[in-house]
């Protein structure tokens, strides 16, 4: 068995085009230690699977890691798929972030597309994912590729695929592309010329920026003062340019995190939702005294917002994604927006209440903007993981740059009236009931922990959570009238809702909780918040026990 593994590794080594991963793999093969053998076994235990999230994984040699060999195969499979769809002469536009190997993976993709007879164009430098999503339709491309692992740890990278409609791939395209990838033969048969693709200038970025301020109302206040962090990612230059175009004060940058750095040295995880990730932003805010703090994740497709709050540690509080989602929806409704408001099933039901009161359509989809962006008549879409699509005609994906502009416009409008984002959230609670959300998220080393927890909940669904009776328990893997099958469970309780699902991009089990407490007046809000907090704590406790986590 060990000899088979060594032979497999040597075959991979022989065609690996990257000196770095070749050296790494050669050391593992020659070491002979138990640890090296275990590491080899892990790297050759299968192949990194291409799905609706594209590819994402840890950098390193071998088919279970992200590396140039895996990317070349993915690009060759995508090229074969496009040719099979009759798009062999079409344009593929390629973007990339500032992570380790991103520029290499982008260049390999361009070479493979060119060698396969397609036209390829690469964005001029590391830029936000929404710029790539915009460029696809702006340039009339048949597909787009973004090399990014978003907010994953520094050791990861990924490969996100869009088709010509500007949206991320969904079934059956993902399975068909995966089949083409599996059919790719030896790498020396994949043509990779040294030139022949285009490296774009700033024209596409300029066109994207020219569109960003169209998400704002003509003549709206632009006075909000912002502290901004790019979280060591690629957002700083694009966001500051967008704010300057729109006429906002220049954001105060979190200097330690303003420039791209693939090591992400100041954060354990480069995700604004993770504990400690916003500490430097809050420290900057205590010095600069802005109206709000805005953070993008490393590829700038997500947008986090924090507000002054005397009751919070350090005087600043992160708003939950559901809170920002509701604030932006209500702001667009107040501006007279028409069309459909959409969200993923794990996001707050408050959006539906806002849409109903405004006489607008409302849709729920599976998680991910690959689904949200496809809603007919979409005007605005969001999901709780800090993703907001505020300009679906321009970017059919979440966009942390335009979302930040819209947040700043709302903060400015409220500021002119002596009010804040927290005041507006209070208004929404009085109008629609207090919708309080929370998440139980468990990161694992061993994926079987997640499978075991899902199996346990399927076999023995809880009858009560926090003393609330479970009215219905749905296994979403069977699909519903509105939703295609997905690995998830949904529980409806009296005045509450719970959804449990494995993360699609990280080794996490995620449980999304929501309680709704009726509110008669603003005076009742403190009592309602205390009740909601107590219920969410109880649901978390009981759900963890039921899942065995």
């Amino acid at each position: 068995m060990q000899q088979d593994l060594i032979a497999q590794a040597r075959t991979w080594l022989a065609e690996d085009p990257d000196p770095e991963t070749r050296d790494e793999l050669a050391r593992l093969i020659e070491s002979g230690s138990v640890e090296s053998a275990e590491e080899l076994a892990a790297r050759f235990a299968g192949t990194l699977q291409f799905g609706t999230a594209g590819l994402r994984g840890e950098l390193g040699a071998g088919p279970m890691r992200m590396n140039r060999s895996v990317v070349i195969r993915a690009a060759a499979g995508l090229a074969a798929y496009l040719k099979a769809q009759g798009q062999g002469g079409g344009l593929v536009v390629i973007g990339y972030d500032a992570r380790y190997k991103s520029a290499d993976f982008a260049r390999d993709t361009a070479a493979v597309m060119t060698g396969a007879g397609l036209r390829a164009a690469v964005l001029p430098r590391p830029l936000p994912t929404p710029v790539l999503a915009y460029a696809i339709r702006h340039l009339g491309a048949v597909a787009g590729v973004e090399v990014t692992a978003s907010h994953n740890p520094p050791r990861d990278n990924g490969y996100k695929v869009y088709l010509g409609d500007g949206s991320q791939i969904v079934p059956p395209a993902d399975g068909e592309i995966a089949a083409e990838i599996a059919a790719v033969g030896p790498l020396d048969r994949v043509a990779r010329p040294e030139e022949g693709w285009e490296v774009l200038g700033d024209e596409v970025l300029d066109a994207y920026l020219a569109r960003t301020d169209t998400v704002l109302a003509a003549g709206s206040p632009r006075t909000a003062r912002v502290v901004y962090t790019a979280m060591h990612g690629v957002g700083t230059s694009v966001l500051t340019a967008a704010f300057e175009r729109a006429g906002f004060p220049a954001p105060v940058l979190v200097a330690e995190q303003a420039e791209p750095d693939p090591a992400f040295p100041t954060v354990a995880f480069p995700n604004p939702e993770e504990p400690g990730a916003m500490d430097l932003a809050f420290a900057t805010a205590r010095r600069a005294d802005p109206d709000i703090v805005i953070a993008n994740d490393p590829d700038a497709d997500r947008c986090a917002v924090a507000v002054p709050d005397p009751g919070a540690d350090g005087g600043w509080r992160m708003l939950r994604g559901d809170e920002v989602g509701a604030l932006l929806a209500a702001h667009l409704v107040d501006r007279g927006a028409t069309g459909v408001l959409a969200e993923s099933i794990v996001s707050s039901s408050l959006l539906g209440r806002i849409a109903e009161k405004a006489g607008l359509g409302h849709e729920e989809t599976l998680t991910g903007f690959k689904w949200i962006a496809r809603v007919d008549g979409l005007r605005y879409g969001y999901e709780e993981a800090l993703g907001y699509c505020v300009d679906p005609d321009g970017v059919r994906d979440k966009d942390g740059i335009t979302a930040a502009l819209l947040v700043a416009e709302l903060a400015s409008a409220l500021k002119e009236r002596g009010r804040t984002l927290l005041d507006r959230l209070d208004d929404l609670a009085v109008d629609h009931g207090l919708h309080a959300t929370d998440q139980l998220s468990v990161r694992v080393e061993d994926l079987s922990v997640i499978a075991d927890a899902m199996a346990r909940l399927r076999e023995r669904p809880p009858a009560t959570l926090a003393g609330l009776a479970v009215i219905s328990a749905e296994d979403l893997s069977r699909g519903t009238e509105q939703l295609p099958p997905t690995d998830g469970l949904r529980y409806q309780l009296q005045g509450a809702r719970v959804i449990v699902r494995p993360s699609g991009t990280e080794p996490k089990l995620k449980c999304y909780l929501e309680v709704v407490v009726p509110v008669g007046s603003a005076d009742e809000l403190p009592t309602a918040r205390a009740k909601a907090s107590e219920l969410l704590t109880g649901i978390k406790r009981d759900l963890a026990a039921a899942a065995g986590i």
Side-chain angles (χ1 to χ4, degrees):
M1 189 62 143
Q2 183 64 17
Q3 289 307 113
D4 289 347
L5 178 60
I6 294 293
Q8 196 179 353
R10 289 193 186 281
T11 300
W12 184 275
L13 179 66
E15 61 176 24
D16 187 341
D18 189 333
E20 224 173 287
T21 45
R22 274 206 311 272
D23 289 348
E24 178 188 315
L25 188 54
R27 285 195 301 271
L28 286 174
I29 292 170
E30 302 305 326
S31 166
S33 70
V34 172
E35 292 80 7
S36 294
E38 289 173 349
E39 182 65 23
L40 272 179
R43 292 174 183 231
F44 286 85
T47 56
L48 208 55
Q49 291 302 301
F50 185 93
T52 51
L55 294 168
R56 197 177 291 188
E58 186 176 344
L59 290 163
M64 286 295 287
R65 297 288 186 267
M66 281 295 295
N67 51 65
R68 290 183 60 199
S69 296
V70 165
V71 165
I72 290 165
R73 289 182 180 279
L78 174 59
Y81 168 82
L82 293 171
K83 290 166 80 170
Q85 300 295 310
Q87 297 174 322
L91 173 68
V92 178
V93 60
I94 302 151
Y96 58 104
D97 65 12
R99 284 178 177 267
Y100 295 119
K101 298 288 182 181
S102 286
D104 293 338
F105 295 168
R107 186 183 188 282
D108 283 332
T109 301
V112 170
M113 295 301 161
T114 303
L118 289 113
R119 292 179 295 123
V122 184
L123 294 184
R125 59 185 170 279
L127 287 168
T129 293
V131 177
L132 180 277
Y134 168 80
I136 294 165
R137 294 168 70 212
H138 177 70
L139 297 173
V142 297
V145 170
E146 176 70 14
V147 180
T148 182
S150 188
H151 57 276
N152 276 37
R155 64 180 183 271
D156 289 1
N157 213 327
Y159 198 82
K160 187 185 290 189
V161 175
Y162 299 74
L163 294 183
D165 63 355
S167 301
Q168 296 175 54
I169 53 169
V170 295
D174 58 343
E176 293 168 0
I177 295 169
E180 294 286 6
I181 294 170
V184 174
L187 285 193
D188 60 8
R189 295 184 191 166
V190 178
R192 286 185 292 129
E194 293 293 319
E195 56 187 13
W197 57 90
E198 180 183 4
V199 176
L200 296 166
D202 278 345
E203 298 83 5
V204 170
L205 176 60
D206 292 343
Y208 168 82
L209 284 168
R211 190 177 174 91
T212 54
D213 54 4
T214 65
V215 305
L216 305 174
S220 63
R222 313 277 168 95
T223 56
R225 292 174 300 109
V226 172
V227 158
Y228 171 72
T229 176
M231 207 67 69
H232 297 297
V234 298
T236 296
S237 63
V238 179
L239 181 130
T240 53
F243 269 59
E244 182 180 3
R245 281 185 60 91
F248 286 101
V252 175
L253 302 181
V254 178
E256 303 93 329
Q257 299 174 335
E259 295 303 316
D261 187 335
F264 303 105
T266 68
V267 290
F269 288 94
N271 178 352
E273 294 179 294
E274 293 284 349
M278 295 291 287
D279 287 355
L280 285 172
F282 294 160
T284 304
R286 286 190 286 274
R287 294 192 300 270
D289 192 30
D291 298 303
I292 54 174
V293 172
I294 288 176
N296 287 141
D297 66 340
D299 68 326
D301 62 352
R302 297 170 196 247
C303 177
V305 181
V307 294
D309 183 351
D313 285 347
W316 283 85
R317 173 168 85 83
M318 271 275 289
L319 295 181
R320 300 189 68 82
D322 284 317
E323 292 176 311
V324 177
L327 284 168
L328 292 181
H331 180 50
L332 290 171
V333 166
D334 291 342
R335 280 179 25 187
T338 59
V340 177
L341 309 184
E343 63 185 323
S344 61
I345 56 171
V346 300
S347 304
S348 173
S349 59
L350 177 55
L351 186 71
R353 305 277 181 95
I354 292 170
E356 183 181 17
K357 185 173 181 181
L360 300 180
H362 172 248
E363 294 285 342
E364 284 188 323
T365 74
L366 295 183
T367 54
F369 274 81
K370 57 185 175 280
W371 300 108
I372 294 171
R374 285 183 157 76
V375 168
D376 286 342
L378 180 67
R379 173 59 187 88
Y380 166 72
Y382 96 94
E383 64 179 4
E384 54 72 45
L386 310 183
Y388 314 95
C389 175
V390 302
D391 177 24
D393 289 339
V395 175
R396 292 187 179 176
D397 200 356
K398 54 188 177 292
D399 183 346
I401 305 297
T402 50
L405 286 173
L406 204 60
V407 169
E409 178 185 62
L410 172 58
S412 300
L414 291 166
K415 181 180 178 181
E416 299 284 297
R417 305 199 299 272
R419 308 188 77 229
T420 67
L421 296 180
L422 292 181
D423 294 330
R424 186 69 183 109
L425 284 171
D426 287 350
D427 296 345
L428 294 175
V430 172
D431 289 345
H432 305 287
L434 177 67
H435 290 62
T437 58
D438 203 352
Q439 192 179 125
L440 172 62
S441 182
V442 181
R443 185 180 290 274
V444 301
E445 293 294 327
D446 180 359
L447 291 177
S448 69
V449 173
I450 294 175
D452 290 347
M454 294 297 290
R456 192 176 290 110
L457 289 170
R458 284 190 167 102
E459 290 164 12
R460 295 185 295 278
T464 63
L465 293 169
L468 302 175
V470 175
I471 298 167
S472 67
E474 291 176 279
D475 186 344
L476 298 176
S477 67
R478 298 174 183 147
T480 71
E481 285 186 17
Q482 293 79 31
L483 301 169
T486 187
D487 187 9
L489 301 164
R490 178 163 59 184
Y491 304 113
Q492 298 289 351
L493 297 82
Q494 189 64 48
R497 183 208 68 197
V498 173
I499 293 176
V500 184
R501 62 180 283 271
S503 169
T505 56
E506 298 176 272
K508 281 183 176 182
L509 181 68
K510 290 188 167 184
C511 310
Y512 305 85
L513 324 174
E514 178 178 46
V515 298
V516 183
V517 181
V519 179
S521 68
D523 294 340
E524 297 177 21
L525 280 170
T527 304
R529 287 203 171 92
K531 180 179 179 182
S533 178
E534 180 185 345
L535 284 171
L536 287 169
T537 299
I539 292 172
K540 263 190 187 181
R541 178 196 63 231
D542 294 352
L543 185 63
I549 54 174

